[in-house]
Amino acid sequence: MTVNQLATKYAFSVVTMPEGEKIVSGCYVGDLLSWVMGRAKAGNVWVTIMSNLNVVAVASLVDVSCVILAEGVTLDKEIVDMAVEKGVNILSSSKTAFETLKDIASEL
Amino acid sequence: MSEFVNFHFDVDGDNFVSAGQASVKVKKNLREMGLDPDIIRRVSIAMYEGEINMVIHAGGGVADVNVYKDYIEIILDDHGPGIPNVELAMQEGYSTASDHVRSLGFGAGMGLSNMKRYTDDMQIDSTVGVGTKITMRVNME
């Protein structure tokens, strides 16, 4: 499944979608960035509540397929612009990380 | 020594929130060179951790990435306070980062261990009061 398809099927809000054809595979949940860099795998969906600029850098470096911001977390425009520039897909959900993952787990 | 390509960066120690730009640039440069995606991922994550460390602890520094035929070398050099106990600093979970740094998602004590995890060789040369130089190598295969 692509990030585009995931967003549509589960009605996530699309924050950025510069590379919507990336394939989603597996998931990592976490807010400590070094843990994400040490444990997340390329192609993973990364669910987090962090909202600073470093999220974009880490998502790009780790090659996650997309970031899902849980709990209705929002991003400043500067960060959104950077994500588009770096080719980082970001979705948003009003649900908790657990509820978000429970919905999409069968796709991963 | 064989011919190589060098990427040099001055790491700004004042802007923590936007730290990591050099690593993202390296990733882009290595992609343009057509290198293996997994190698690029390992190099850029290891460099990012080092870059963040330089910003958190040393007020910035310089970073060099040298691409040779058989390996990529990452050299991070700062004039910060140095690491009193390298063995302790290498332990996962050990951190001296401030609460502010932790609130941004860093300071989990995983930086150096991630650098070691993603590289084939890592040397730390640190002198208290002088600075720290970290040399990492990622083999091409």
Side-chain angles (χ1 to χ4, degrees):
Chain A
M1 174 174 267
T2 67
V3 177
N4 246 328
Q5 290 167 334
L6 186 78
T8 302
K9 184 170 179 180
Y10 294 95
F12 288 114
S13 300
V14 175
V15 181
T16 66
M17 189 72 85
E19 296 186 11
E21 294 309 301
K22 282 186 176 173
I23 303 295
V24 299
S25 70
C27 178
Y28 191 83
V29 185
D31 306 314
L32 293 175
L33 301 180
S34 285
W35 279 85
V36 178
M37 283 188 284
R39 301 287 198 268
K41 296 181 171 59
N44 277 180
V45 171
W46 172 25
V47 183
T48 185
I49 55 167
M50 291 301 283
S51 59
N52 62 54
L53 195 56
N54 304 114
V55 169
V56 174
V58 169
S60 171
L61 295 171
V62 175
D63 277 335
V64 295
S65 55
C66 68
V67 177
I68 300 180
L69 301 171
E71 311 266 12
V73 165
T74 58
L75 299 179
D76 293 342
K77 183 178 183 304
E78 175 199 15
I79 301 173
V80 172
D81 292 345
M82 180 66 77
V84 172
E85 184 188 328
K86 302 300 180 194
V88 174
N89 301 314
I90 302 179
L91 309 177
S92 171
S93 169
S94 59
K95 297 180 178 179
T96 65
F98 172 73
E99 290 168 333
T100 300
L101 272 175
K102 199 170 61 167
D103 288 346
I104 65 173
S106 63
E107 309 286 0
L108 306 174
Chain B
M1 187 172 284
S2 56
E3 290 183 16
F4 67 97
V5 177
N6 167 260
F7 302 113
H8 177 82
F9 301 92
D10 292 313
V11 178
D12 180 1
D14 296 328
N15 192 349
F16 182 73
V17 174
S18 63
Q21 296 309 307
S23 308
V24 174
K25 184 80 168 37
V26 161
K27 181 173 187 180
K28 182 170 179 286
N29 290 346
L30 297 181
R31 266 187 177 163
E32 287 169 358
M33 292 174 73
L35 299 180
D36 178 80
D38 186 56
I39 300 282
I40 295 172
R41 185 172 183 273
R42 290 168 57 204
V43 168
S44 50
I45 290 176
M47 181 174 169
Y48 184 72
E49 290 283 20
E51 194 182 344
I52 292 294
N53 274 349
M54 284 202 291
V55 176
I56 292 175
H57 300 290
V62 295
D64 283 278
V65 176
N66 300 319
V67 183
Y68 294 91
K69 180 173 177 290
D70 298 328
Y71 63 94
I72 298 175
E73 182 180 56
I74 308 155
I75 302 172
L76 306 164
D77 206 351
D78 70 58
H79 298 290
I83 305 171
N85 186 335
V86 171
E87 193 179 345
L88 183 61
M90 285 297 300
Q91 289 181 11
E92 284 194 1
Y94 179 81
S95 175
T96 58
S98 67
D99 287 345
H100 171 63
V101 166
R102 290 169 196 261
S103 74
L104 292 169
F106 292 107
M110 295 281 287
L112 287 173
S113 51
N114 271 351
M115 289 156 72
K116 188 172 176 63
R117 179 199 306 269
Y118 282 117
T119 57
D120 294 301
D121 184 68
M122 180 167 92
Q123 303 294 328
I124 301 176
D125 181 11
S126 188
T127 305
V128 173
V130 177
T132 299
K133 181 178 181 179
I134 296 181
T135 305
M136 294 175 282
R137 177 190 281 225
V138 174
N139 296 328
M140 287 294 194
E141 59 178 52

